[in-house]
Amino acid sequence: MKYNELRRKSKCVKIKDREIGANSDILIQSMTNTDTQDYMATIAQIKALEHAGCDIVRITVPNLESVKTISKIKEADIKIPVVADIHFDYKIALECVRAGIDKIRINPGNIGDEWKIKEVVSACKSQQIPIRIGVNGGSLEKHILQKYGAPTAEALAESAFYHISLLEKFGFDNIVVSVKSSDVRNMILANRIIAKQCDYPIHLGVTEAGDDYSGLIKSSAGIGSLLCDGIGDTIRVSLTADPVKEIYAGKELLSSLGFFNKGSIRVVSCPTCGRTKIDLISLSNSFKDAISDIDTKGKEIKVALMGCVVNGPGEARECDIGIAGGKGEAVLFKKGEIIRKIKEEEIISTLLMEINQLINEI
Ligand code: SF4
């Protein structure tokens, strides 16, 4: 990860066999949207997320019945850490810890009496289970909302520090913190305050961001600008879409900023113009489907799909391989140098063959 050294130095929080913060990779998270009690569906979705490259998965645990799913998940062959999302009920938190959950997300200020917070803290401490405090602009504490009059960045940050203080009071510092808002600017500013004033790892996300169009744009603006500032240790790109899409989006976002080091195929494509004589839009969609499951064995491979031979090879000179379209045909180029002509219908198979060779090159 070439920009890792530019990141804010945070504490290291261990979750199962992964680490959040310090020098570890920025982890990509998502959340299941199945009924947690339907453990077959939940496990199937976790497996799909894991297969897509998810590092940490969160499930909602709204009642004690849902806790049973945790042991079923433990029996299934799932490698990634599982986080329980809990609101208010300390008993559910205790049961999740007993069931072997890897991390819980709960806001201690919502638990109620201090003795209940203390019990949750002792249970998490005894099993070395971290807690994520997750402040959300839509559910700020009344006293903070009254003080600021609106869920401003300062109000969001104050809420996070309020919850942190309730855990620290009982000597607990195995904490990850997140401050989310559907207002991108507030989310950015609040996280900057948090990043300055504590050294806990930070989970980034824009909440209620929208579908896989507006959600992607809002998340890229919010998460992306903080990552560029060196802030953020784990991310979730929230989308009103299949959670697997959140993982692909997270990878693309990290990759575009030089923070993704597991290897990927990055596709560069031109916007098309009057010179384009090939159906580049359909080609790009089919190509993305064709490469979605390829394991690059840690390599970063850049592929260019360009509309014309006049500018294509030159503009995509930094790519490992690429094609530039003509009428019913294309030229294959490597690092900007034209290699040979190929027929339009051979483009995808030729690129896949070239990618395979690059992956297996020593
Ligand atoms: S590469 Fe060619 S087709 Fe694509 S935008 Fe540039 S000039 Fe147009």
mmCIF file of all heavy atoms in Angstrom, residues 269-277 280 305-313 315 324-325, ligand 1:
data_model
loop_
_atom_site.group_PDB
_atom_site.id
_atom_site.type_symbol
_atom_site.label_atom_id
_atom_site.label_comp_id
_atom_site.label_asym_id
_atom_site.label_seq_id
_atom_site.Cartn_x
_atom_site.Cartn_y
_atom_site.Cartn_z
ATOM 1 N N SER A 269 -11.157 3.474 -19.193
ATOM 2 C CA SER A 269 -11.830 3.508 -20.497
ATOM 3 C C SER A 269 -12.132 4.951 -20.878
ATOM 4 O O SER A 269 -12.373 5.793 -20.014
ATOM 5 C CB SER A 269 -13.115 2.670 -20.478
ATOM 6 O OG SER A 269 -13.945 3.060 -19.427
ATOM 7 N N CYS A 270 -12.108 5.207 -22.172
ATOM 8 C CA CYS A 270 -12.327 6.594 -22.623
ATOM 9 C C CYS A 270 -13.826 6.904 -22.636
ATOM 10 O O CYS A 270 -14.646 5.997 -22.638
ATOM 11 C CB CYS A 270 -11.693 6.807 -23.990
ATOM 12 S SG CYS A 270 -12.709 6.254 -25.367
ATOM 13 N N PRO A 271 -14.188 8.151 -22.639
ATOM 14 C CA PRO A 271 -15.624 8.492 -22.560
ATOM 15 C C PRO A 271 -16.372 8.273 -23.877
ATOM 16 O O PRO A 271 -17.583 8.442 -23.916
ATOM 17 C CB PRO A 271 -15.600 9.977 -22.185
ATOM 18 C CG PRO A 271 -14.301 10.488 -22.681
ATOM 19 C CD PRO A 271 -13.324 9.361 -22.590
ATOM 20 N N THR A 272 -15.662 7.915 -24.928
ATOM 21 C CA THR A 272 -16.158 7.811 -26.316
ATOM 22 C C THR A 272 -16.448 9.204 -26.897
ATOM 23 O O THR A 272 -16.686 10.149 -26.147
ATOM 24 C CB THR A 272 -17.434 6.920 -26.485
ATOM 25 O OG1 THR A 272 -18.546 7.597 -25.939
ATOM 26 C CG2 THR A 272 -17.285 5.551 -25.849
ATOM 27 N N CYS A 273 -16.365 9.272 -28.215
ATOM 28 C CA CYS A 273 -16.652 10.547 -28.888
ATOM 29 C C CYS A 273 -16.992 10.253 -30.343
ATOM 30 O O CYS A 273 -17.201 9.095 -30.703
ATOM 31 C CB CYS A 273 -15.446 11.486 -28.776
ATOM 32 S SG CYS A 273 -14.074 10.998 -29.832
ATOM 33 N N GLY A 274 -17.013 11.280 -31.156
ATOM 34 C CA GLY A 274 -17.378 11.100 -32.560
ATOM 35 C C GLY A 274 -16.435 10.168 -33.318
ATOM 36 O O GLY A 274 -16.779 9.674 -34.394
ATOM 37 N N ARG A 275 -15.252 9.954 -32.807
ATOM 38 C CA ARG A 275 -14.304 9.055 -33.488
ATOM 39 C C ARG A 275 -14.608 7.575 -33.226
ATOM 40 O O ARG A 275 -14.087 6.716 -33.926
ATOM 41 C CB ARG A 275 -12.887 9.302 -32.957
ATOM 42 C CG ARG A 275 -12.215 10.554 -33.430
ATOM 43 C CD ARG A 275 -10.764 10.492 -32.961
ATOM 44 N NE ARG A 275 -10.129 11.798 -32.960
ATOM 45 C CZ ARG A 275 -9.535 12.316 -34.033
ATOM 46 N NH1 ARG A 275 -9.499 11.643 -35.154
ATOM 47 N NH2 ARG A 275 -8.972 13.504 -33.963
ATOM 48 N N THR A 276 -15.395 7.300 -32.168
ATOM 49 C CA THR A 276 -15.603 5.905 -31.743
ATOM 50 C C THR A 276 -16.422 5.121 -32.771
ATOM 51 O O THR A 276 -17.529 5.526 -33.108
ATOM 52 C CB THR A 276 -16.356 5.877 -30.385
ATOM 53 O OG1 THR A 276 -15.831 6.907 -29.567
ATOM 54 C CG2 THR A 276 -16.207 4.545 -29.691
ATOM 55 N N LYS A 277 -15.860 4.019 -33.246
ATOM 56 C CA LYS A 277 -16.565 3.202 -34.240
ATOM 57 C C LYS A 277 -16.891 1.817 -33.667
ATOM 58 O O LYS A 277 -17.223 0.897 -34.376
ATOM 59 C CB LYS A 277 -15.695 3.018 -35.497
ATOM 60 C CG LYS A 277 -15.384 4.312 -36.225
ATOM 61 C CD LYS A 277 -16.574 4.762 -37.069
ATOM 62 C CE LYS A 277 -16.309 6.053 -37.796
ATOM 63 N NZ LYS A 277 -16.391 7.254 -36.947
ATOM 64 N N LEU A 280 -18.229 0.634 -27.430
ATOM 65 C CA LEU A 280 -17.340 0.570 -26.265
ATOM 66 C C LEU A 280 -18.113 0.424 -24.947
ATOM 67 O O LEU A 280 -17.624 -0.194 -24.004
ATOM 68 C CB LEU A 280 -16.467 1.828 -26.213
ATOM 69 C CG LEU A 280 -15.211 1.692 -25.356
ATOM 70 C CD1 LEU A 280 -14.217 0.736 -25.978
ATOM 71 C CD2 LEU A 280 -14.542 3.034 -25.118
ATOM 72 N N LEU A 305 -9.600 0.316 -22.207
ATOM 73 C CA LEU A 305 -10.564 0.105 -23.285
ATOM 74 C C LEU A 305 -10.783 1.475 -23.927
ATOM 75 O O LEU A 305 -11.439 2.340 -23.358
ATOM 76 C CB LEU A 305 -11.888 -0.434 -22.719
ATOM 77 C CG LEU A 305 -11.818 -1.725 -21.893
ATOM 78 C CD1 LEU A 305 -13.191 -2.079 -21.337
ATOM 79 C CD2 LEU A 305 -11.282 -2.897 -22.736
ATOM 80 N N MET A 306 -10.193 1.664 -25.101
ATOM 81 C CA MET A 306 -10.211 2.990 -25.724
ATOM 82 C C MET A 306 -10.993 2.935 -27.042
ATOM 83 O O MET A 306 -11.009 1.916 -27.731
ATOM 84 C CB MET A 306 -8.784 3.478 -25.968
ATOM 85 C CG MET A 306 -7.899 3.455 -24.722
ATOM 86 S SD MET A 306 -8.505 4.511 -23.377
ATOM 87 C CE MET A 306 -7.909 6.113 -23.884
ATOM 88 N N GLY A 307 -11.594 4.053 -27.373
ATOM 89 C CA GLY A 307 -12.512 4.076 -28.513
ATOM 90 C C GLY A 307 -11.859 4.165 -29.875
ATOM 91 O O GLY A 307 -12.444 3.745 -30.863
ATOM 92 N N CYS A 308 -10.643 4.717 -29.966
ATOM 93 C CA CYS A 308 -10.048 4.849 -31.293
ATOM 94 C C CYS A 308 -8.530 4.700 -31.226
ATOM 95 O O CYS A 308 -7.917 4.898 -30.178
ATOM 96 C CB CYS A 308 -10.406 6.199 -31.920
ATOM 97 S SG CYS A 308 -9.470 7.562 -31.225
ATOM 98 N N VAL A 309 -7.988 4.375 -32.362
ATOM 99 C CA VAL A 309 -6.555 4.101 -32.425
ATOM 100 C C VAL A 309 -5.737 5.405 -32.500
ATOM 101 O O VAL A 309 -4.542 5.421 -32.219
ATOM 102 C CB VAL A 309 -6.274 3.136 -33.613
ATOM 103 C CG1 VAL A 309 -6.268 3.875 -34.922
ATOM 104 C CG2 VAL A 309 -5.023 2.342 -33.378
ATOM 105 N N VAL A 310 -6.416 6.514 -32.866
ATOM 106 C CA VAL A 310 -5.700 7.785 -33.000
ATOM 107 C C VAL A 310 -5.132 8.232 -31.652
ATOM 108 O O VAL A 310 -3.961 8.549 -31.524
ATOM 109 C CB VAL A 310 -6.634 8.883 -33.581
ATOM 110 C CG1 VAL A 310 -5.888 10.191 -33.757
ATOM 111 C CG2 VAL A 310 -7.242 8.418 -34.889
ATOM 112 N N ASN A 311 -6.015 8.244 -30.650
ATOM 113 C CA ASN A 311 -5.565 8.714 -29.337
ATOM 114 C C ASN A 311 -5.449 7.618 -28.275
ATOM 115 O O ASN A 311 -4.760 7.790 -27.279
ATOM 116 C CB ASN A 311 -6.541 9.775 -28.794
ATOM 117 C CG ASN A 311 -6.506 11.032 -29.616
ATOM 118 O OD1 ASN A 311 -5.510 11.316 -30.270
ATOM 119 N ND2 ASN A 311 -7.584 11.768 -29.615
ATOM 120 N N GLY A 312 -6.170 6.504 -28.492
ATOM 121 C CA GLY A 312 -6.265 5.459 -27.461
ATOM 122 C C GLY A 312 -4.938 4.957 -26.907
ATOM 123 O O GLY A 312 -4.654 5.121 -25.710
ATOM 124 N N PRO A 313 -4.075 4.368 -27.744
ATOM 125 C CA PRO A 313 -2.839 3.783 -27.209
ATOM 126 C C PRO A 313 -1.966 4.807 -26.479
ATOM 127 O O PRO A 313 -1.388 4.509 -25.433
ATOM 128 C CB PRO A 313 -2.138 3.231 -28.454
ATOM 129 C CG PRO A 313 -3.242 3.015 -29.436
ATOM 130 C CD PRO A 313 -4.228 4.109 -29.173
ATOM 131 N N GLU A 315 -2.953 7.751 -25.048
ATOM 132 C CA GLU A 315 -3.568 8.241 -23.805
ATOM 133 C C GLU A 315 -3.515 7.198 -22.698
ATOM 134 O O GLU A 315 -3.523 7.549 -21.517
ATOM 135 C CB GLU A 315 -5.027 8.650 -24.069
ATOM 136 C CG GLU A 315 -5.143 9.998 -24.757
ATOM 137 C CD GLU A 315 -6.597 10.395 -25.024
ATOM 138 O OE1 GLU A 315 -7.504 9.804 -24.436
ATOM 139 O OE2 GLU A 315 -6.792 11.306 -25.847
ATOM 140 N N ALA A 324 -7.748 -0.555 -28.618
ATOM 141 C CA ALA A 324 -8.285 0.681 -29.166
ATOM 142 C C ALA A 324 -9.159 0.281 -30.347
ATOM 143 O O ALA A 324 -8.707 -0.449 -31.248
ATOM 144 C CB ALA A 324 -7.146 1.600 -29.617
ATOM 145 N N GLY A 325 -10.409 0.691 -30.320
ATOM 146 C CA GLY A 325 -11.387 0.220 -31.298
ATOM 147 C C GLY A 325 -11.261 0.852 -32.662
ATOM 148 O O GLY A 325 -10.859 2.012 -32.804
HETATM 149 S S1 SF4 B 1 -9.750 7.672 -27.210
HETATM 150 FE FE1 SF4 B 1 -10.493 8.201 -29.249
HETATM 151 S S2 SF4 B 1 -12.644 7.581 -29.185
HETATM 152 FE FE2 SF4 B 1 -11.979 7.694 -27.059
HETATM 153 S S3 SF4 B 1 -12.533 9.777 -26.448
HETATM 154 FE FE3 SF4 B 1 -10.390 9.819 -27.109
HETATM 155 S S4 SF4 B 1 -10.497 10.443 -29.253
HETATM 156 FE FE4 SF4 B 1 -12.562 9.751 -28.687
#
